[in-house]
Amino acid sequence: MAEVTRVPLQPIAKGSLTKLWLGVLVAILIGGGLAWATIPRGLTVTELTEGSGPSPAETDVVLVNYVGKLPNGTVFDEGQQIPLPLENMIEGFREGAVQMKKGGKYELYIPSAKGYGAEEKINPQTGEVAIPANSDLVFEVELLEFMSREDYEMRMQMMQQMMQQQMQGAEGAGAPPQ
């Protein structure tokens, strides 16, 4: 009968098992830390449709189509061809808008710290909470046009003058002859 070669098992050195478990624990902690580090915490701008040309400045007025949602998909605001002075917008929207190009469509993920933070936003029409405190925000934005604040104000004044002239003309046309 053939004899099987025997390999004697060496005893584990004192403390080796502890070192092994410590090594496993360190590997788990490092993996968890890397996973935690990859979670987006800042503003995220995702280009859905490419735009072209220059980007607006933080002091410009942008003309946009947009939908504002909570991360669960609840729509809290939307608008078509809305002029928005970037100086008056929340920090995250302003930072995202200056990365856009005319004609492009974008999704902005805005963490609560760059949105409304601990402030709760109430819908003025319903009186209900539209945006809970500490909510992250998601905006789908199409940048139609942008202009300087001065150009915007000049265009608004011209439009007001035209509307006043039209109203005066309509009043004059409806007045009885004397």
Side-chain angles (χ1 to χ4, degrees), residues 26 37 68 72 120 140 157-158 171:
V26 167
N72 68 6
E120 198 171 72
E140 292 175 10
Q157 288 175 352
M158 289 173 48
E171 289 173 3

Side-chain angles (χ1 to χ4, degrees), residues 56-99:
E58 287 193 6
T59 56
D60 285 346
V61 175
V62 294
L63 183 66
V64 296
N65 294 335
Y66 73 94
V67 177
K69 300 183 278 188
L70 299 174
N72 68 6
T74 303
V75 174
F76 61 82
D77 194 14
E78 58 187 313
Q80 297 289 313
Q81 298 184 3
I82 305 296
L84 301 173
L86 292 179
E87 291 176 313
N88 300 346
M89 301 305 296
I90 58 174
E91 179 184 357
F93 193 95
R94 186 173 53 252
E95 288 178 9
V98 299
Q99 297 179 42

Side-chain angles (χ1 to χ4, degrees), residues 7 29 32 64-65 78 86 91 110 120 125 127 131 140 151 154 156 169:
V7 177
L29 289 174
V64 296
N65 294 335
E78 58 187 313
L86 292 179
E91 179 184 357
I110 302 172
E120 198 171 72
Q125 297 170 341
I131 303 173
E140 292 175 10
D151 285 348
M154 186 175 65
M156 291 305 294

Side-chain angles (χ1 to χ4, degrees), residues 43-155:
L43 170 71
T44 305
V45 179
T46 305
E47 184 178 66
L48 305 175
T49 304
E50 187 176 0
S52 62
S55 297
E58 287 193 6
T59 56
D60 285 346
V61 175
V62 294
L63 183 66
V64 296
N65 294 335
Y66 73 94
V67 177
K69 300 183 278 188
L70 299 174
N72 68 6
T74 303
V75 174
F76 61 82
D77 194 14
E78 58 187 313
Q80 297 289 313
Q81 298 184 3
I82 305 296
L84 301 173
L86 292 179
E87 291 176 313
N88 300 346
M89 301 305 296
I90 58 174
E91 179 184 357
F93 193 95
R94 186 173 53 252
E95 288 178 9
V98 299
Q99 297 179 42
M100 298 179 189
K101 297 193 180 299
K102 184 176 166 184
K105 291 183 184 179
Y106 302 86
E107 181 180 80
L108 304 179
Y109 173 83
I110 302 172
S112 65
K114 291 185 181 258
Y116 297 107
E119 188 179 341
E120 198 171 72
K121 288 296 182 181
I122 306 294
N123 183 329
Q125 297 170 341
T126 64
E128 296 176 357
V129 175
I131 303 173
N134 300 311
S135 291
D136 296 339
L137 308 173
V138 180
F139 283 93
E140 292 175 10
V141 182
E142 178 181 11
L143 179 60
L144 304 172
E145 183 66 69
F146 64 91
M147 64 195 83
S148 71
R149 181 87 182 224
E150 295 78 24
D151 285 348
Y152 173 72
E153 289 173 359
M154 186 175 65
R155 289 182 188 193

